Amino acid sequence: MLKIYNTGSNKKEKFVPMKKGKVGMYTCGMTVYDFAHIGHGRKYVGDDILRRILEWSGYDVKHVQNVTDVGHLSSDEDEGEDKMEKGAIKFGKTVWDVAEFFTDHFFTSMDALNIERPHIICKATDHIPEQIGLVQTLIKKGFAYDTPEAVYFDIDSFKAYGRLFRQKLDDKKTAVRAEVQTGEYKKNPHDFALWFKRVGHFSNHTMYWASPWGDGFPGWHIECSAMSMKYLGETFDIHTGGIDHIPVHHTNEIAQSEAATGKPLAHFWVHHAFLTVNGIKMAKSLGNFITIEEIIKKGYDPLELRFFYLSAHYRQQLNFTWEALDGAKAGYKNLCNLVQTIREKKQDAVIRSKISTHLSDLLTSVTQQFSDAVSDDMNMPKAMAVFFDFLKRVKTEKDLSARDYLAIYDEILRFDTVFGLRVNRPDLKTFEVPSDIQILANEREKARKSKKWAESDRLRDEITSRGFVVEDTANGSTIRPV
Ligand code: AMP
Ligand code: ZN
């Protein structure tokens, strides 16, 4: 039984999907005005683990993630500079080029961490009509009002404002700041912008669109309400973000969506804790960040970083140090070496024979322990401990046949569908293809040359089932680990 901590109810809850066997999951994406860093890496690996656990539990997941490529202001409140414009000045590019460059950079960085790409990646700038439509609905229903500077959400008209996350409005900062000349027309200082007009402070804004309220650009929060509704429906299963999203962004998203539809936005709210440096959040705006490229340049594999992330529970702050990454490097190597020994021992396995009873008992118990750990609000440090214990048990276990090792190896690969550590390919560059796989590949090549297609396909499947992929090129076939 999968349990997930729900920020909405402040407790761990049994996960029950809205539709049997299916999960709709929305993840707030990055604001693409500067480099993605290893703090983002931690958060998106966390979402990736959640998705992988859901898939491992048998759910068919639809994962949607946005790209904030339209400026929201440098504070999450309606104040400060526009982040996209800030990026454009810093890098001497247009706002559009900045958005494109850093969107690519973000996804390339996340790919390096073996994060599955969301099924739908949606950009705010591609969904302006949907956002305008939602603002119109909110005005029509009496939840928003037009002013000379912006269209604002009227929080006094939405009685549940801030209630899901138990906020006291008195504790909130207000968004009225004389120096940026916004907020002058707000009825309540906590009202937030749905649509900024290209006037006053924003009159030179380069990213803008026509709207029923004049040229301007959407407030930050509205994009997530509009796009989640478009791709996942008015209510969906899981909404994720960083803990910084709780007080403003998600509070405002809930207000907009629920005011418009009269229905709950999401059943589960999952929030990830930060990666810090010297106890302070790693952040683009603070400039204390490290990119994946820097990690690689210093001789680390991004998967060692992924291993490091998994050492802490996602709701606990994790402090980054190079020493800690060195520790993860050693731990990851140890893990891959243990897996490699098993891979070597399973090579002469006879696929159809039975596995030993004592191994069968061990596999049942370890699968249960692994399942208990990941189902307990994604307890990855625990799941990793179960994994290592299992590998160590196997190492000392006597009387295991090659067939047993094959079963163990299969179990390892199943666990790794959740860890995403590619434990079977420790180092692609120096990875040697084991001799039995090479023999199979040679046989397949022979079958192919003599046009025995069925035989060639059967051999390809056998190779794949052992963790390798054959690719046919103009110069013959090549082989690599999956
Ligand atoms: P941003 O566009 O920078 O606001 O970031 C997008 C997502 O990454 C948000 O959910 C943030 O909470 C998350 N994030 C940014 N920095 C960190 C960090 N140092 N640790 C964990 N998550 C972070
Ligand atoms: Zn969002």
Side-chain angles (χ1 to χ4, degrees):
M1 182 179 65
L2 177 56
K3 281 191 164 179
I4 303 176
Y5 180 85
N6 187 353
T7 319
S9 63
N10 213 5
K11 53 179 193 274
K12 275 189 217 171
E13 281 179 49
K14 181 178 168 205
F15 177 72
V16 183
M18 291 170 61
K19 272 196 219 121
K20 196 164 180 274
K22 293 201 184 305
V23 178
M25 170 163 151
Y26 185 89
T27 296
C28 287
M30 196 180 92
T31 310
V32 284
Y33 74 101
D34 209 327
F35 293 99
H37 53 68
I38 63 172
H40 295 114
R42 180 187 189 197
K43 145 81 172 64
Y44 292 98
V45 163
D47 288 327
D48 186 54
I49 292 286
L50 171 57
R51 170 173 157 183
R52 286 166 180 267
I53 291 174
L54 289 163
E55 285 169 348
W56 190 78
S57 311
Y59 293 110
D60 176 11
V61 182
K62 180 173 176 188
H63 185 199
V64 179
Q65 186 173 317
N66 68 307
V67 175
T68 300
D69 57 350
V70 47
H72 71 80
L73 307 183
S74 55
S75 138
D76 289 348
E77 314 281 345
D78 295 335
E79 61 184 61
E81 297 163 278
D82 177 289
K83 289 187 178 175
M84 298 307 302
E85 304 262 343
K86 189 172 156 188
I89 294 164
K90 178 168 169 191
F91 296 102
K93 297 179 184 226
T94 67
V95 277
W96 298 98
D97 287 346
V98 165
E100 191 182 333
F101 179 84
F102 290 116
T103 302
D104 285 351
H105 180 265
F106 172 80
F107 285 106
T108 314
S109 303
M110 299 305 119
D111 289 349
L113 288 166
N114 198 24
I115 293 173
E116 305 270 8
R117 287 210 179 190
H119 303 103
I120 294 178
I121 295 170
C122 41
K123 295 182 179 178
T125 52
D126 287 340
H127 296 78
I128 300 295
E130 287 85 348
Q131 296 174 68
I132 290 177
L134 190 53
V135 178
Q136 283 176 312
T137 305
L138 289 170
I139 294 179
K140 217 185 315 160
K141 293 196 169 181
F143 292 107
Y145 56 96
D146 189 13
T147 75
E149 61 184 14
V151 177
Y152 286 115
F153 185 91
D154 177 1
I155 65 155
D156 292 322
S157 66
F158 184 67
K159 294 287 166 272
Y161 186 78
R163 222 175 271 162
L164 187 68
F165 301 138
R166 299 161 292 282
Q167 286 189 50
K168 286 200 203 101
L169 274 185
D170 296 345
D171 297 343
K172 281 191 85 165
K173 276 199 309 175
T174 70
V176 187
R177 285 288 162 98
E179 67 272 22
V180 297
Q181 297 149 24
T182 56
E184 191 187 330
Y185 294 93
K186 285 184 180 181
K187 291 191 199 165
N188 178 324
H190 299 300
D191 289 350
F192 58 91
L194 300 170
W195 186 266
F196 285 105
K197 297 190 180 181
R198 198 166 175 259
V199 294
H201 181 63
F202 299 123
S203 48
N204 293 323
H205 213 268
T206 44
M207 222 182 216
Y208 63 94
W209 294 264
S211 85
W213 317 283
D215 289 352
F217 58 101
W220 171 33
H221 322 293
I222 197 76
E223 68 182 69
C224 288
S225 289
M227 294 191 279
S228 63
M229 208 178 285
K230 173 166 179 172
Y231 295 109
L232 292 171
E234 293 180 341
T235 305
F236 49 91
D237 296 292
I238 306 177
H239 196 310
T240 76
I243 46 169
D244 51 331
H245 285 165
I246 300 171
V248 182
H249 181 52
H250 287 169
T251 295
N252 292 354
E253 247 189 73
I254 290 168
Q256 298 160 155
S257 294
E258 301 193 357
T261 66
K263 295 175 190 160
L265 172 56
H267 285 177
F268 278 81
W269 287 87
V270 172
H271 290 106
H272 300 266
F274 292 142
L275 182 78
T276 55
V277 195
N278 299 324
I280 297 166
K281 181 191 178 192
M282 182 178 286
K284 288 176 288 190
S285 56
L286 299 177
N288 62 347
F289 63 82
I290 300 163
T291 60
I292 302 283
E293 287 96 316
E294 282 173 77
I295 294 280
I296 296 171
K297 234 182 266 161
K298 287 203 183 226
Y300 298 94
D301 187 311
L303 294 179
E304 292 159 4
L305 181 60
R306 185 169 171 116
F307 183 90
F308 166 65
Y309 295 146
L310 298 183
S311 67
H313 188 263
Y314 77 96
R315 286 192 286 118
Q316 271 166 358
Q317 191 164 297
L318 175 63
N319 196 50
F320 176 82
T321 61
W322 292 104
E323 291 72 35
L325 190 57
D326 283 338
K329 189 183 186 74
Y332 182 64
K333 187 156 180 233
N334 183 17
L335 181 62
C336 294
N337 284 341
L338 284 165
V339 173
Q340 186 60 15
T341 335
I342 291 160
R343 166 181 234 149
E344 279 157 15
K345 288 191 179 160
K346 73 160 181 77
Q347 283 176 13
D348 300 315
V350 182
I351 308 249
R352 281 185 188 81
S353 65
K354 273 200 177 153
I355 62 168
S356 337
T357 328
H358 63 289
L359 177 68
S360 163
D361 294 345
L362 175 62
L363 288 180
T364 311
S365 108
V366 81
T367 306
Q368 188 59 49
Q369 288 169 40
F370 179 81
S371 169
D372 289 348
V374 299
S375 305
D376 180 16
D377 191 30
M378 303 186 257
N379 192 337
M380 297 315 287
K382 183 80 197 294
M384 188 59 77
V386 168
F387 193 26
F388 266 112
D389 275 354
F390 170 56
L391 295 174
K392 283 179 193 150
R393 275 279 299 273
V394 167
K395 199 175 166 188
T396 53
E397 194 79 43
K398 307 249 165 11
D399 296 334
L400 291 173
S401 66
R403 172 69 189 94
D404 289 337
Y405 282 109
L406 181 65
I408 293 164
Y409 189 68
D410 284 347
E411 183 80 345
I412 289 170
L413 293 190
R414 268 195 297 277
F415 288 165
D416 199 42
T417 59
V418 175
F419 292 122
L421 286 169
R422 295 193 181 146
V423 288
N424 57 334
R425 43 175 292 185
D427 185 347
L428 268 183
K429 288 180 285 295
T430 60
F431 201 94
E432 280 178 26
V433 178
S435 56
D436 64 328
I437 301 284
Q438 195 57 60
I439 292 167
L440 288 174
N442 296 347
E443 279 178 28
R444 182 181 166 272
E445 191 62 15
K446 248 193 272 166
R448 225 164 69 87
K449 286 212 171 107
S450 42
K451 299 196 168 22
K452 290 181 183 156
W453 305 123
E455 174 69 356
S456 142
D457 286 350
R458 189 192 65 74
L459 286 162
R460 178 202 286 269
D461 289 347
E462 167 126 27
I463 293 168
T464 312
S465 75
R466 295 193 187 196
F468 285 82
V469 187
V470 240
E471 279 162 345
D472 299 323
T473 69
N475 304 322
S477 358
T478 59
I479 183 150
R480 60 170 177 82
V482 277

